[in-house]
Amino acid sequence: MTMSEAARETSCDWTVTGMDCGSCATKIKDAVARLPGVSGVEVGIMSERLRLTLDEGQTAKDRIEKTVRALGYEIAPRTASAKKEFVLPGAQAVADMTDAHPDLDHANRDHEGHDHAGHDHGPKSSGTKQDESSHGSPGHIHDDPADRGKRWFQTAKGRLVVFTALLLGAAWIIEYLAPEIGNWAFVAACLIGVAPVAQRAFAALRMGQPFTIESLMTIAAVGALFIDAAEEAALVVFLFAVGEVLEGVAAGKARDGIRALANLVPKTAQLVTGDTTREVPAASLSVGQTVLVRPGDRIPADGEITDGTSGVDESPVTGESVPKTRGPGDAVFAGAINTEAALRVKVTKGPEDNTIARIIRLVEEAEEARAPTERFIDRFSRWYMPAIVAVAALVVLVPPLAFGQPWDTWVYRGLALLLIGCPCALVISVPASIASAMSTGARRGLLMKGGAVIEAAAKVDVVTFDKTGTLTHGRPQVTDVVPFRATTEAELLAVAAGVETGSSHPLAIAILNKAKDAGVTALPSQDAKALMGKGVVATVDGEPAWVASPRYAMEHGGLEGLGLRQATIFEEDGKTAVAVFREKTPLGLLAMRDEPRADAKDAVGQLTAMGVTSVILTGDNPRTASAIAGSLGLKFEADMMPEDKLAYIREIGSKGGVMMIGDGINDAPALKQASVGVAMGSGTDVALETADAAILRDRVTDIPATIRLSRAAMANIRQNVTIALGLKAVFLVTSVFGLTGLWIAILADTGATVLVTLNALRLLRFNPERES
């Protein structure tokens, strides 16, 4: 490709409504991919998204839209309903999905009387003949955005069911009152009902797609008329319409969990400017601005509290049911609910990077990371349907031609096979389960980037943990204060705090916090200097003072034999010991430990019960690592640099599935190398971006919960595939032997689609935190 050709290509993004099964996505993808200048086509059923790369010199955007509309779907640019200057990654998903909940105003409070009659809920018809044929008549009519929230009989699909039911009922009445013309009444009912379906079948045929449910339905209905089965043909048309409604309802239920995520974001925020506040779009907030969050409001952006103390309900994002008290200096995230008092929050992340935007991006993009099982089924379905058509043709032709069997009987059985042949249930079986699993996980703070991650997590048999900030809090605390000779604890802490004043090192913060809690004021200090890997020296109260490692202190007269033995005991207990001394004068020892999280041991126990091996990978010394590992009951590898972690994971990854849990920049290579990399929610941006999944609640027990959810999703997928293929197999056999007819065949097709979708919806009620 030349530079000029590459320059002409642009990434395009649309919202497509009306997809209710896997064949819908395949139909759109195949039709659009045939157009010149189109590449990289991705269609998400659950996210209702069409993305592609387009060379507008060969094909214009409006041609893409006309192609999709001709197939019977609605399409609109992804940015159509948001002001251009405020459209950011993730923000449009909010705008698109909140259209489904028009009763929510800017503050996310219910106002039933709020008038939305004038809102644009979808693209308007262009008024062309093609548009009218696609949307103005009954048939395989797909979900209209304006239909969301309506009762089934108020939707376009529902009206089709009522229409075809009236036609069928009228035909039965005519047959009862005038038997001599009753058959013609059923013929008329069938033709009127199937006409729009045939229209769509022809549109797909013109785009090179002869094997669609509409084409099979049309052939079966018209074929039934030719063998004098008009009453059954009319009944099949009606049942087809009923099946369409059921599929649409089931698919809508599957999407509801994903759409609900968008409700976490308020549309507006109270921006503080000097002494005044004004309402602005939440999507326009920028880093450094301050917003006022009133009691009952949702926090509009990730930020830091600058004024006020209140209970913050984080359950909408993390699943934690009890509000946590937050005050000045504490971090809060978008979507959380302020429950008690007014807060002023300084924005620390733009709308495109906040917690909710990340969740929405993950959910939207997750369908691109398709599970291997889904890719296999997609390939399988591409030859399955033509094969069914070939078998149906053989069933129609071979018995009459080779064995002199009656044509009517075998044409009828061949038509039944055609109706069974649509692979809708099979194709939707995987994405429906994946979408339900991701929605369930997102409600509990478990984020996974797509089906491939879920499938890989289900196969994990080794979990490797970074220690600091993952199994532990990442915030060391002083556990022991041991003064020497005549030095008091207060004097020891005053000198140590003086040396560490101004430092942001975790150990320094632990010492300063200990002094503060003990009510000790740090001595005045100056000229602090770090001793690389050894400690810190500063002039404290006019004289030099050190806070250093025991070995360094021994070398410089700051620690004696007894003190060294005590430091060794601390290290054997998994603590970090530092010596505090002045020139040739030992003052004492401080011992610190980064305590394991309260749920770490429980999490390791759950993993062991699930048959998963747990290992700590840490850069700490072996004594400290051994103490932590021993208390939690897992294996460990110590003194590991980032490259060592990478090599270890590469080695064990060659033997099976491995999951890496980390939170720091140094964990990023290992997170990428693992079968599944999981970042703790409090981790760095680099870890979160590199990882395949994220744990928002900083709970170690969410690791076994993630694996449990993934295993449940894969079991659900296996059930769905069994249902889809099992029903097809049974009814293929019964149709060939004449045990079931056309109306049973259409019920088998749509019924299987509804069954697998409803089965997938069971995952929405699955509790991954409950041990099975």
Side-chain angles (χ1 to χ4, degrees):
M1 180 185 297
T2 66
M3 291 295 289
S4 60
E5 289 174 335
R8 287 203 308 265
E9 292 190 345
T10 56
S11 295
C12 302
D13 203 348
W14 287 274
T15 295
V16 178
T17 54
M19 296 183 289
D20 49 31
C21 68
S23 64
C24 295
T26 301
K27 190 189 308 181
I28 293 172
K29 185 174 182 178
D30 289 348
V32 172
R34 290 175 181 270
L35 298 174
V38 174
S39 61
V41 182
E42 291 288 344
V43 181
I45 305 171
M46 294 302 161
S47 59
E48 300 181 295
R49 189 173 194 174
L50 167 63
R51 291 204 293 185
L52 52 83
T53 300
L54 180 64
D55 179 354
E56 293 192 68
Q58 299 185 58
T59 298
K61 289 182 180 179
D62 62 347
R63 187 176 176 189
I64 302 287
E65 296 175 2
K66 287 179 181 178
T67 299
V68 173
R69 290 195 182 102
L71 293 172
Y73 304 90
E74 275 293 0
I75 181 172
R78 202 72 173 172
T79 56
S81 61
K83 293 182 180 179
K84 186 173 182 180
E85 61 269 30
F86 296 138
V87 174
L88 297 161
Q92 181 56 34
V94 176
D96 290 340
M97 290 192 280
T98 47
D99 282 344
H101 305 273
D103 291 335
L104 295 174
D105 73 350
H106 298 315
N108 277 11
R109 298 184 177 123
D110 288 334
H111 288 274
E112 295 178 1
H114 190 60
D115 182 13
H116 281 256
H119 284 202
D120 181 11
H121 289 282
K124 300 294 184 291
S125 172
S126 62
T128 65
K129 184 176 181 180
Q130 184 182 51
D131 284 337
E132 289 170 0
S133 67
S134 294
H135 308 293
S137 56
H140 192 172
I141 295 176
H142 301 280
D143 295 329
D144 189 307
D147 285 342
R148 292 175 183 164
K150 294 181 179 179
R151 304 290 294 275
W152 70 268
F153 53 83
Q154 296 173 316
T155 66
K157 287 183 178 181
R159 291 193 295 271
L160 172 61
V161 169
V162 174
F163 177 70
T164 53
L166 291 175
L167 288 175
L168 188 61
W172 272 322
I173 293 172
I174 291 172
E175 183 184 42
Y176 177 78
L177 297 176
E180 65 279 4
I181 62 170
N183 187 65
W184 290 107
F186 284 113
V187 170
C190 175
L191 291 176
I192 295 172
V194 83
V197 182
Q199 198 170 40
R200 283 183 178 74
F202 180 68
L205 180 62
R206 283 189 306 167
M207 296 176 190
Q209 300 180 55
F211 303 115
T212 64
I213 183 60
E214 290 89 352
S215 63
L216 300 186
M217 178 65 205
T218 302
I219 294 171
V222 174
L225 295 180
F226 278 99
I227 60 172
D228 200 26
E231 182 176 357
E232 195 162 5
L235 181 59
V236 164
V237 172
F238 168 70
L239 292 175
F240 177 76
V242 172
E244 288 288 285
V245 169
L246 293 177
E247 286 181 3
V249 170
K253 289 289 185 183
R255 292 188 185 107
D256 282 346
I258 297 175
R259 289 192 186 119
L261 294 174
N263 292 336
L264 300 177
V265 182
K267 294 179 181 178
T268 63
Q270 298 296 320
L271 179 65
V272 177
T273 307
D275 295 329
T276 63
T277 61
R278 60 189 176 90
E279 188 174 84
V280 299
S284 69
L285 294 176
S286 58
V287 175
Q289 291 182 323
T290 298
V291 294
L292 174 67
V293 185
R294 298 165 299 193
D297 282 356
R298 291 185 186 273
I299 296 171
D302 284 12
E304 180 180 297
I305 297 175
T306 59
D307 184 40
T309 300
S310 178
V312 177
D313 178 4
E314 300 175 348
S315 63
V317 177
T318 67
E320 291 284 6
S321 58
V322 179
K324 295 182 177 180
T325 300
R326 303 293 190 197
D330 288 335
V332 291
F333 51 75
I337 303 170
N338 178 21
T339 62
E340 297 171 3
L343 296 174
R344 288 178 184 258
V345 177
K346 181 181 179 181
V347 178
T348 57
K349 290 184 179 178
E352 73 278 12
D353 290 324
N354 68 37
T355 302
I356 301 303
R358 283 185 175 185
I359 293 174
I360 292 173
R361 272 206 304 273
L362 281 174
V363 173
E364 282 200 320
E365 295 171 0
E367 284 190 89
E368 296 175 17
R370 303 172 71 199
T373 301
E374 185 177 359
R375 291 196 295 269
F376 169 76
I377 288 177
D378 189 46
R379 291 194 301 270
F380 172 78
S381 66
R382 288 181 181 273
W383 63 260
Y384 163 82
M385 203 162 170
I388 288 294
V389 173
V391 170
L394 291 175
V395 167
V396 169
L397 298 174
V398 173
L401 295 177
F403 304 104
Q405 295 291 312
W407 281 97
D408 286 2
T409 298
W410 291 98
V411 168
Y412 182 88
R413 294 179 183 180
L415 295 176
L417 281 181
L418 284 180
L419 292 180
I420 294 171
C422 182
C424 288
L426 184 62
V427 177
I428 196 67
S429 60
V430 179
S433 298
I434 295 297
S436 295
M438 288 193 301
S439 179
T440 295
R443 291 202 311 270
R444 291 172 169 82
L446 315 177
L447 302 183
M448 290 179 279
K449 299 179 181 179
V453 175
I454 290 176
E455 186 161 341
K459 298 176 182 176
V460 162
D461 47 32
V462 177
V463 171
T464 58
F465 291 94
D466 171 56
K467 181 179 74 69
T468 305
T470 302
L471 283 174
T472 64
H473 291 284
R475 298 185 296 273
Q477 296 177 337
V478 175
T479 57
D480 300 89
V481 180
V482 182
F484 295 155
R485 299 175 183 169
T487 306
T488 65
E489 285 192 15
E491 291 170 345
L492 178 62
L493 287 172
V495 173
V499 173
E500 300 288 10
T501 296
S503 174
S504 60
H505 190 281
L507 297 182
I509 292 173
I511 292 171
L512 293 170
N513 287 339
K514 180 65 177 179
K516 180 180 178 181
D517 293 342
V520 174
T521 301
L523 293 173
S525 63
Q526 59 186 5
D527 302 328
K529 183 173 69 173
L531 307 170
M532 293 301 293
K534 299 170 184 176
V536 182
V537 60
T539 301
V540 177
D541 203 20
E543 297 179 17
W546 288 260
V547 174
S549 68
R551 179 177 298 179
Y552 181 86
M554 280 290 294
E555 294 171 355
H556 293 79
L559 194 63
E560 298 172 346
L562 289 175
L564 182 61
R565 282 195 290 273
Q566 182 61 59
T568 302
I569 292 172
F570 284 146
E571 290 180 351
E572 288 173 350
D573 288 339
K575 300 174 182 178
T576 298
V578 295
V580 183
F581 62 97
R582 289 191 183 272
E583 190 75 46
K584 304 295 183 182
T585 306
L587 299 179
L589 284 173
L590 298 176
M592 290 163 279
R593 182 161 64 183
D594 186 8
E595 297 291 346
R597 297 179 187 271
D599 64 337
K601 188 170 185 178
D602 183 24
V604 173
Q606 290 185 36
L607 289 170
T608 302
M610 296 165 65
V612 178
T613 302
S614 303
V615 184
I616 292 179
L617 305 182
T618 179
D620 269 354
N621 64 73
R623 284 196 298 268
T624 300
S626 177
I628 294 291
S631 67
L632 298 178
L634 42 66
K635 301 177 183 179
F636 72 92
E637 296 287 337
D639 287 331
M640 299 196 84
M641 300 297 286
E643 57 269 24
D644 298 324
K645 293 182 181 181
L646 183 65
Y648 182 87
I649 287 180
R650 184 179 289 127
E651 179 184 351
I652 62 174
S654 64
K655 304 172 186 175
V658 56
M659 178 182 282
M660 172 67 188
I661 322 298
D663 75 321
I665 293 175
N666 63 328
D667 296 321
L671 290 171
K672 195 68 175 177
Q673 178 64 42
S675 306
V676 181
V678 181
M680 297 296 279
S682 60
T684 65
D685 289 345
V686 173
L688 289 171
E689 293 300 328
T690 305
D692 303 303
I695 304 299
L696 295 185
R697 296 188 292 192
D698 278 355
R699 292 190 351 183
V700 189
T701 49
D702 281 346
I703 301 303
T706 297
I707 297 175
R708 204 174 284 122
L709 176 60
S710 298
R711 290 180 177 180
M714 294 311 299
N716 191 275
I717 287 171
R718 288 191 291 272
Q719 294 164 6
N720 279 349
V721 172
T722 301
I723 291 171
L725 291 180
L727 282 176
K728 297 289 184 186
V730 168
F731 285 104
L732 281 173
V733 173
T734 57
S735 295
V736 169
F737 286 99
L739 300 177
T740 53
L742 290 176
W743 68 276
I744 291 292
I746 194 67
L747 278 183
D749 173 59
T750 57
T753 302
V754 172
L755 280 178
V756 299
T757 307
L758 292 177
N759 187 51
L761 292 178
R762 292 192 306 113
L763 287 172
L764 294 175
R765 297 192 300 273
F766 179 76
N767 184 2
E769 299 168 22
R770 187 177 302 145
E771 296 183 52
S772 53

